[in-house]
Amino acid sequence: MSYQQHFSMGSGSRPARRNFEFGRTYVVRPQGKHQATIVWLHGLGDNGSSCSQLLENLPLPNIKWICPTAPTRPVALLGGFSCTAWFDVGEISEESPDDWEGLDASAIHIANLLSTEPADVKVAIGGFSMGAATALYSATCAAFGRYGNGNAYPINLRAVVGLSGWLPGSRSLRSKVEGSHEAARRAASLPIFLCHGTSDDVVSYSYGEKSAHCLNTAGFRNLTFKSYEGLGHYTVPKEMEEVRNWLTARLGLEGSRS
């Protein structure tokens, strides 16, 4: 099922218009009592299907996993080649300009996926690589109470997980959080779990570490950063086991022991 959003930019009589059409969404149903729903976001060029296959084997019977597929769009990092991407990126570094329009479109799509979940079900977002970056952007929107475009952020996020990712918008984060008591309160109460391999040759370990430090100094104090010696840009069973244990504890899940 596709999902479209239209954004207009520019001023005067010549606004620029971008269309974001999201791909298919895959759902892994809980095997036990439904206590939490997590949207899990794939990396650049991947799709929701591969995530759902990974997550259905994770022994977390009380979680419903929603695995959307990003829009197919030209990506500057790939020389304009089109592939699935949650937002456009030129380089994976602090100096790269942020695609706020693309980030907002994806954050809105994710929030819409979570908006129909039952009130007694805890909701969270996680992801790998660019998916982790998008999850962290959603975390900042949740803290600010609004998207980058100023519209209200409607979801009460209970946890965020990011594997081998980075933080978009890191340069202005601290001033934005410190400028609002409510944002500071929400940031401090949101649990975040970040993992990164020391041998990551796609998203450097140092950038992942800097992103965690930036979040922490901006007021996201309920943050755990785990490093994995020798791990490249991929996941391993030990990492996923730690994600499982962290989610079980933070979301108060029942019956999730192996």
Side-chain angles (χ1 to χ4, degrees), residues 140-193:
T140 63
C141 292
F144 302 147
R146 65 185 186 276
Y147 300 104
N149 64 16
N151 292 337
Y153 186 80
I155 302 300
N156 177 25
L157 274 187
R158 301 297 293 269
V160 173
V161 176
L163 310 181
S164 307
W166 73 95
L167 172 66
S170 59
R171 291 183 294 272
S172 60
L173 179 62
R174 185 171 181 176
S175 62
K176 287 181 180 178
V177 173
E178 289 179 345
S180 164
H181 291 300
E182 269 300 295
R185 181 189 63 78
R186 286 190 291 259
S189 65
L190 178 60
I192 300 177
F193 188 62

Side-chain angles (χ1 to χ4, degrees), residues 38-41 65 124-129 131-136 139 157-165 190-195 224 239-240 242-244 246-247 250-251:
I38 301 178
V39 170
W40 192 269
L41 307 169
W65 299 95
I125 304 173
F128 174 77
S129 191
T134 308
L136 289 176
L157 274 187
R158 301 297 293 269
V160 173
V161 176
L163 310 181
S164 307
L190 178 60
I192 300 177
F193 188 62
L194 302 179
C195 304
T224 301
E239 182 182 34
M240 296 309 295
E242 295 204 54
V243 168
R244 181 179 82 93
W246 186 86
L247 285 171
R250 292 299 175 278
L251 298 177

Side-chain angles (χ1 to χ4, degrees), residues 77 91 117 154 212 243:
L77 179 68
E91 61 176 320
E117 292 302 295
V243 168

Side-chain angles (χ1 to χ4, degrees), residues 209-233:
E209 193 174 39
K210 280 181 183 177
S211 294
H213 178 72
C214 177
L215 283 162
N216 193 267
T217 56
F220 291 84
R221 308 200 190 286
N222 195 355
L223 183 150
T224 301
F225 180 79
K226 296 278 295 185
S227 60
Y228 293 83
E229 189 67 34
L231 181 66
H233 197 64

Side-chain angles (χ1 to χ4, degrees), residues 1-5 19-24 69-73:
M1 180 179 179
S2 66
Y3 178 85
Q4 295 188 18
Q5 290 179 2
N19 172 51
F20 300 101
E21 184 170 345
F22 290 82
R24 181 177 172 183
T69 299
T72 296
R73 70 179 79 197

Side-chain angles (χ1 to χ4, degrees), residues 92 165 196-198 200-210 233:
I92 300 174
H196 217 110
T198 60
D200 194 323
D201 58 353
V202 177
V203 181
S204 71
Y205 175 78
S206 63
Y207 191 25
E209 193 174 39
K210 280 181 183 177
H233 197 64

